[in-house]
Amino acid sequence: MKFRNLRGAITAMVTPFHDDGSVNLDALDGLIERQISEGIDGLLVLGTTGESATMTHEEDASVVKRTVKTVNGRVPVIVGSGSNSTATQKEMSLRYQDMGADALLLIAPYYNKSNPEGMYRHFLAAADAVNIPCILYNVPGRTGCEIPVSVVEQLSQHPNIAGIKEASGNMSYAMKIARLVGPDFALYSGNDDITIPILSAGGSGVISVFSNLCPRVCHEIISDWFAGNHQEALDKHLKYLNLMNDLFIEVNPIPVKSAMNMMGFNAGPLRLPLYDMSESHRIDLWTTLKDLRLV
């Protein structure tokens, strides 16, 4: 499945676990089938929402292998291969490419942070090693650092750098990145609540947490926008905005996994250091889901 120039809604998948904490690959199959049947345009595994930070390399590989097999070319599969170790990022990128990933997501080097030249070379090492598209991932709330616009501009010229997932929530930063958008470089919203503003700035879609719950709605927001039905897209976006915001009342993916379980989808438990939502937040989330007739 070709990824480059993909326009649409991409789900940042949760990783379902059994009650004992092990990866539940059968439940993953079910979640994937639902996403595809509801019209989602792509799937991302081993991202922030997938709790990859608490998984072993063997578990990561099992999720990638199962996802590629289950999807079977029906939609593009993007795999998070980023690391704060350049060598590890390169190794994982090559491994997931060989396992059938259609594209890779490369997060900014957390904890190390780096300077601009080091960050440029960090991403370059992976992009030079593979022959599938790579998406930069700017999420300073997680990494403690922002990918400088100058570095994004340099990397946007690389034939294997296909775009950026912009998850800072900073529209000023996003607008600077928007000037780089073209046929070979895409801007994806990494925050569901500002998907429409990102689209209005030339964005190609969203890499979404919300679409774990409502893949068809998320797909329709993007497809309506590109069909020129801007008001319909905005109306849908605003209808679900409270839910999009509630999915971040505690650190992601605590709320989205809780919501999925409330809705009857088998997302399973979280892995420490993530833990169950507070009771007050659970009530707030349940109320929002009920108001939208999702429970």
Side-chain angles (χ1 to χ4, degrees):
M1 174 66 66
K2 296 290 186 181
F3 172 82
R4 191 173 293 278
N5 300 325
L6 176 68
R7 297 201 305 182
I10 301 163
T11 298
M13 296 284 289
V14 303
T15 302
F17 298 129
H18 291 287
D19 289 341
D20 65 2
S22 59
V23 176
N24 188 341
L25 294 174
D26 291 335
L28 179 63
D29 284 343
L31 297 179
I32 290 170
E33 292 297 343
R34 174 175 177 257
Q35 289 289 321
I36 294 174
S37 69
E38 292 284 305
I40 207 66
D41 300 293
L43 297 174
L44 164 69
V45 294
L46 305 188
T48 304
T49 310
E51 296 178 78
S52 57
T54 62
M55 292 166 59
T56 67
H57 290 324
E58 291 75 20
E59 288 173 326
D60 289 342
S62 71
V63 167
V64 175
K65 181 179 180 181
R66 189 64 162 258
T67 300
V68 169
K69 179 181 179 182
T70 302
V71 169
N72 193 28
R74 289 176 288 173
V75 297
V77 174
I78 305 112
V79 179
S81 61
S83 173
N84 65 337
S85 162
T86 303
T88 300
Q89 177 172 263
K90 180 179 175 180
E91 177 187 353
M92 294 298 104
S93 296
L94 287 166
R95 177 180 297 181
Y96 299 145
Q97 174 181 265
D98 290 345
M99 293 177 68
D102 297 298
L104 302 167
L105 186 71
L106 308 178
I107 196 168
Y110 46 89
Y111 190 75
N112 299 343
K113 295 187 177 181
S114 188
N115 55 14
E117 183 63 22
M119 198 172 289
Y120 169 72
R121 291 173 181 268
H122 171 77
F123 290 117
L124 194 66
D128 280 346
V130 301
N131 55 25
I132 57 175
C134 299
I135 307 165
L136 308 176
Y137 184 13
N138 185 58
V139 58
R142 292 279 187 169
T143 63
C145 61
E146 180 176 88
I147 307 175
V149 173
S150 61
V151 171
V152 179
E153 184 171 12
Q154 283 180 285
L155 292 167
S156 70
Q157 305 303 311
H158 194 288
N160 287 340
I161 301 290
I164 184 170
K165 177 184 177 182
E166 206 316 88
S168 71
N170 181 348
M171 281 304 299
S172 177
Y173 178 94
M175 292 303 291
K176 293 171 185 174
I177 299 301
R179 293 182 297 189
L180 306 175
V181 168
D184 297 317
F185 189 78
L187 169 63
Y188 297 98
S189 175
N191 297 75
D192 285 297
D193 61 336
I194 57 172
T195 295
I196 293 293
I198 292 288
L199 291 174
S200 72
S204 290
V206 61
I207 299 178
S208 173
V209 175
F210 163 72
S211 59
N212 279 282
L213 307 182
C214 302
R216 186 174 299 280
V217 172
C218 196
H219 166 77
E220 288 175 350
I221 290 170
I222 308 301
S223 60
D224 281 348
W225 180 270
F226 284 119
N229 302 320
H230 293 169
Q231 190 60 53
E232 289 89 340
L234 178 60
D235 289 345
K236 283 177 183 149
H237 192 246
L238 294 178
K239 177 181 177 180
Y240 290 89
L241 185 62
N242 285 344
L243 177 56
M244 294 174 186
N245 289 330
D246 278 0
L247 295 181
F248 290 87
I249 53 177
E250 292 191 19
V251 67
N252 179 48
I254 295 173
V256 71
K257 269 198 155 179
S258 300
M260 291 176 76
N261 289 326
M262 290 175 188
M263 291 170 64
F265 301 112
N266 186 13
L270 298 145
R271 279 190 175 177
L272 290 171
L274 302 185
Y275 195 65
D276 296 342
M277 293 180 75
S278 69
E279 187 59 27
S280 63
H281 284 157
R282 284 185 61 84
I283 292 170
D284 291 342
L285 181 58
W286 173 266
T287 300
T288 299
L289 291 170
K290 188 174 181 181
D291 288 345
L292 290 167
R293 299 183 179 180
L294 294 174
V295 291

